[in-house]
Amino acid sequence: PAMSRPICNHYAELLSSTAAAAGRDGARVSGAVHCLVLRTLPQLPPTYLLNHLLAAYARSGRLPLARRLFDAMPDPNLFTRNALLSALARARLLPDMERLFASMPERDAVSYNALIAGFSGAGAPARAARAYQVLLREEAVVDGARVRPSRITMSGMVMAASALGDRSLGRQVHCQILRLGFGAYAFTGSPLVDMYAKMGLIGDAKRVFDEMEGKNVVMYNTMITGLLRCKMVEEARGVFEAMVDRDSITWTTMVTGLTQNGLQSEALDVFRRMSAEGVGIDQYTFGSILTACGALAASEEGKQIHAYTIRTLYDDNIFVGSALVDMYSKCRSIRSAEAVFRRMTCKNIISWTAMIVGYGQNGCGEEAVRVFSEMQRDGIKPDDFTLGSVISSCANLASLEEGAQFHCMALVSGLRPYITVSNALVTLYGKCGSIEDAHRLFDEMPFHDQVSWTALVSGYAQFGKAKETMDLFEKMLLKGVKPDGVTFIGVLSACSRSGLVEKGRSYFHSMQKDHGIVPLDDHYTCMIDLYSRSGRLKEAEEFIRQMPRCPDAIGWATLLSACRLRGDMDIGKWAAENLLKTDPQNPASYVLLCSMHASKGEWSEVAQLRRGMRDRQVKKEPGCSWIKYKNKVHIFSADDQSHPFSGTIYEKLQWLNSKMLEEGYKPDVSSVLHDVADAEKVHMLSNHSEKLAIAFGLIFVPEEMPIRVVKNLRVCVDCHNATKFISKITGRDILVRDAVRFHKFSNGICSCGDFW
């Protein structure tokens, strides 16, 4: 036994040295030493050596071997039990941890620290707090001394209080830290600063920070994070500038915090300073600064940072790659986003979602659906955000068939209750003209947020259902849900489409006065539309002259369109001149002025305007309509003869025309901008793209289903009138989604009330 003592000490030293070797290496050394112990020691090894062996197994992840060794030990002591207890806590084996703790004949601070850490690490901070209360109550004694909480105990309790968001518990723990004499330690000070900041008690966080002596960089970083989280940017900047030593986390914290507070330009400045000082930049820094570039649509800066990621070999990092896809998407460089995405060697759900969202943001809904399918083939299961994003793309495409399939997927996958998915489905059915289904889904939701209400309000507004829109909006306010700018666009457009001028004006003022929303171009356009549609063109002109800035191209085009309808040449010319200044390549000014002159038979002016278009190389967007049938999109343009069933379609149109004439239909040739005979104008009207699409739908879409047509331009007066007659003659519901709104034609009546 005397000779074995040095050997045991040697083995204990070997096992202690394995503490730095984690995983496979540590397990290999521990196993080798264990074999030596069994082979060279004639008698049972002493407890202290077995304790070293058990601790080495536990640290290297060989928990089953550690437990087997513990069970075989004849005389385990407090150290033995604490070693296994800590291992069980790290492995989150809470029932085993609790059983061992309950069986311990004595416990010290290490025992309680392991228990508290185990509960906290497993996401059970309330149980950690109860364990701490037991420690304070039991007044356990080890080796004649009372067991007191240590710095580790108090640090763990601060984090538990922070996780619970319990201000009262947090303050109690802080008082105990001071009473125990740990107030000057950064080990407890940093968690206290973080805890108070997360609870919104930034004054308390600052007081703890200011009272700490010998602050380290961790404390500074924690304080800056807390200040930025509470939107105290100037104070955070002051702490940052006061630091003598900054690490990469300090700089990244500033870049991230400024970005999250909407100060993307300042974040870029900080990033430039960071780069100039040669500070190491990691994936989190790149992620934050690329987010800032995306928010600013700063594509040039984004490209420079992309080049930087390539130089530093971060371009293949999955986190950075996803951020690059998002940045390029927000900068409207969708092909660059696609190129980055395709080059990524490893993709996760975040990468795929970034690409799907990017396609949706850039009006590439079909590509979003295609990439979603590719993601599924790759074995990646969608989460609620991914599924909601692809459903939103279907909504923008007005593709109810594919959207309904994703609805089924949401039900099967269990993602339907998530508010992200539910909101996307309400939007889908609203944008696809199934407002009843949208409202039913809305009613089935257990909880509604701002997006839910806005989706339904906007859906009713697109249908021109002003009363329902305003009733919903008022109900939303009564429920205490705060509307945003998008909600008011829906409400104002509903008032506009129903001619409710006074009501719309009242909502516009309320938006600013009661809800503090600064009007954007879309809000001003809604007001111009409100006055113009109602024929109050002078009021529209006065409203524009009082605006803090000039309308955008859509606002001027809206006024010009109303002038064409009302035949007001004076205001129309003023609107056209301003539209040309705002957007010289916009064909709307030429087309609408041509229409106004054509309606008065002023064909020389029409010819002059067309020459101006040719000289400036301005091209009018050709009108087209499309209808989806059996997952295939059928696109038609005026006088289209290219469709495989073209003969059958034109036969159907001829039959419809004869039936319509019998019912009293009279072609409206006012929208034909050519100096030709009326008979030729009637012929040109009869072959408009939406009529061809409707004829196709009547032939192929089953009678029990509505016909859904989408048009890229506004429906002309004649097609609108003709579609009413077609719905009455055929007994079919026809939904037409044009560039402005939805029209649901049923039994000779349109949902817009002929006001569009």
Side-chain angles (χ1 to χ4, degrees), residues 146-357:
R146 184 173 176 271
V147 175
R148 284 160 42 96
S150 67
R151 285 182 299 153
I152 297 171
T153 318
M154 301 317 298
S155 176
M157 278 311 302
V158 172
M159 288 186 274
S162 180
L164 287 167
D166 189 331
R167 293 184 176 189
S168 175
L169 176 62
R171 292 189 192 280
Q172 289 174 33
V173 171
H174 188 184
C175 290
Q176 287 162 353
I177 286 171
L178 296 173
R179 195 172 69 245
L180 291 165
F182 299 140
Y185 289 96
F187 190 81
T188 52
S190 288
L192 275 171
V193 171
D194 184 62
M195 177 195 76
Y196 280 128
K198 282 179 178 173
M199 291 177 177
L201 301 170
I202 196 65
D204 293 291
K206 191 74 167 64
R207 191 157 47 252
V208 172
F209 177 79
D210 291 338
E211 290 172 359
M212 290 292 296
E213 295 179 7
K215 302 178 186 70
N216 59 20
V217 71
V218 176
M219 276 211 73
Y220 274 99
N221 292 346
T222 305
M223 189 69 246
I224 291 169
T225 302
L227 290 166
L228 289 168
R229 190 185 290 128
C230 295
K231 302 189 181 302
M232 298 175 70
V233 177
E234 288 305 316
E235 290 82 352
R237 193 182 284 112
V239 174
F240 175 79
E241 297 298 344
M243 290 180 71
V244 177
D245 297 314
R246 306 184 187 104
D247 60 10
S248 63
I249 296 172
T250 316
W251 290 93
T252 301
T253 299
M254 280 303 293
V255 170
T256 304
L258 290 168
T259 301
Q260 291 172 344
N261 279 280
L263 300 169
Q264 291 86 5
S265 295
E266 292 186 36
L268 275 168
D269 292 337
V270 171
F271 179 79
R272 291 188 188 101
R273 283 177 60 190
M274 179 182 183
S275 178
E277 292 194 18
V279 181
I281 295 171
D282 61 15
Q283 59 178 346
Y284 303 109
T285 323
F286 280 126
S288 294
I289 200 61
L290 287 168
T291 300
C293 291
L296 290 168
S299 58
E300 287 307 312
E301 288 85 350
K303 287 175 185 175
Q304 291 171 21
I305 292 165
H306 187 182
Y308 198 166
T309 66
I310 294 170
R311 288 201 307 275
T312 53
L313 304 179
Y314 269 101
D315 59 313
D316 199 38
N317 178 284
I318 194 167
F319 186 84
V320 174
S322 302
L324 282 166
V325 171
D326 181 65
M327 181 274 294
Y328 279 122
S329 298
K330 286 186 168 70
C331 291
R332 299 291 174 186
S333 301
I334 191 63
R335 296 308 158 207
S336 298
E338 192 177 55
V340 171
F341 180 75
R342 293 300 170 197
R343 280 198 298 268
M344 290 176 70
T345 54
C346 182
K347 303 180 183 78
N348 60 10
I349 185 66
I350 297 170
S351 324
W352 287 97
T353 302
M355 193 69 252
I356 290 165
V357 171

Side-chain angles (χ1 to χ4, degrees), residues 631-663:
N631 285 327
K632 185 178 178 183
V633 178
H634 299 263
I635 304 173
F636 298 90
S637 57
D639 293 312
D640 199 340
Q641 304 281 338
S642 62
H643 197 276
F645 293 97
S646 187
T648 311
I649 291 168
Y650 278 98
E651 283 178 17
K652 189 71 172 179
L653 267 183
Q654 286 179 357
W655 178 82
L656 284 171
N657 278 327
S658 63
K659 288 290 183 183
M660 285 157 56
L661 291 169
E662 289 175 14
E663 289 288 331

Side-chain angles (χ1 to χ4, degrees), residues 103-139:
S103 70
M104 291 172 69
E106 59 177 357
R107 308 178 186 107
D108 62 3
V110 176
S111 317
Y112 282 97
N113 290 347
L115 191 69
I116 290 167
F119 285 133
S120 295
R127 296 174 74 181
R130 285 198 292 273
Y132 177 70
Q133 289 167 353
V134 171
L135 166 62
L136 296 180
R137 265 199 320 267
E138 279 194 352
E139 297 186 355

Side-chain angles (χ1 to χ4, degrees), residues 21 86 93 114 155 166 188 200 332 337 400 522 556 572 603 630 709 725:
S86 298
L93 298 172
S155 176
D166 189 331
T188 52
R332 299 291 174 186
L400 188 59
D522 287 341
W556 288 117
W603 298 109
K630 289 190 174 179
V709 173
F725 277 96

